[in-house]
Amino acid sequence: DGRPGAAGAALSTLRRGWIVPEQPVSVSPKTQDAVFRAVGRPGVVLITEGPTTRVRPLVEKERKNMQRFLPNVPIQVLATGHGADQVELHDLAKTLKRMKKTLTKQEVQAVDKRLNSLGSAKMPIPKGIDPYRARPDRKSMRGR
């Protein structure tokens, strides 16, 4: 699946024990690369969508942010794709399930609450029409 958000769709099939927000934690608006977050017994897992080299800065920024607030929680990174060192989308849930469990269920809830309380630093989507898709008014263009 080449469309953005495919990793998010694959993550939504995870069973209980995993807390996955609907929206990605960070997105590169220019390239549509995204980083999703899943919190579970193995700790925090950042799932990338897009070429590894392009997504690396997004992941590192997110990881640094989290390590500041969650000093003793393991943070792992999974890259989705077809290459070496990458996980296929249909194997994503299986891979997450196989990870070594280090946190208790209570700790998972506490970590998720902490991450949610931080909020996100990304800009909200503005209301109204998309200025890039708006059609220019031909009448006002006549005098130019």
Side-chain angles (χ1 to χ4, degrees), residues 97-131:
K97 219 179 289 175
R98 284 195 190 131
M99 290 180 148
K100 190 168 172 277
K101 293 169 177 59
T102 52
L103 303 176
T104 65
K105 287 178 183 175
Q106 289 77 24
E107 287 171 331
V108 171
Q109 294 296 326
V111 166
D112 183 55
K113 280 200 178 93
R114 187 154 211 185
L115 287 170
N116 286 338
S117 68
L118 299 176
S120 57
K122 64 176 180 264
M123 296 286 288
I125 299 166
K127 297 279 182 269
I129 57 169
D130 183 1

Side-chain angles (χ1 to χ4, degrees), residues 28-67:
S28 168
K30 189 173 165 190
T31 58
Q32 295 290 307
D33 297 334
V35 177
F36 290 87
R37 179 180 69 212
V39 182
R41 297 277 309 274
V44 179
V45 182
L46 296 173
I47 294 110
T48 67
E49 189 177 284
T52 315
T53 50
R54 272 197 333 218
V55 179
R56 191 171 291 129
L58 283 175
V59 171
E60 286 309 312
K61 185 176 159 216
E62 203 59 43
R63 183 201 291 247
K64 277 194 184 109
N65 237 350
M66 284 186 198
Q67 271 175 334

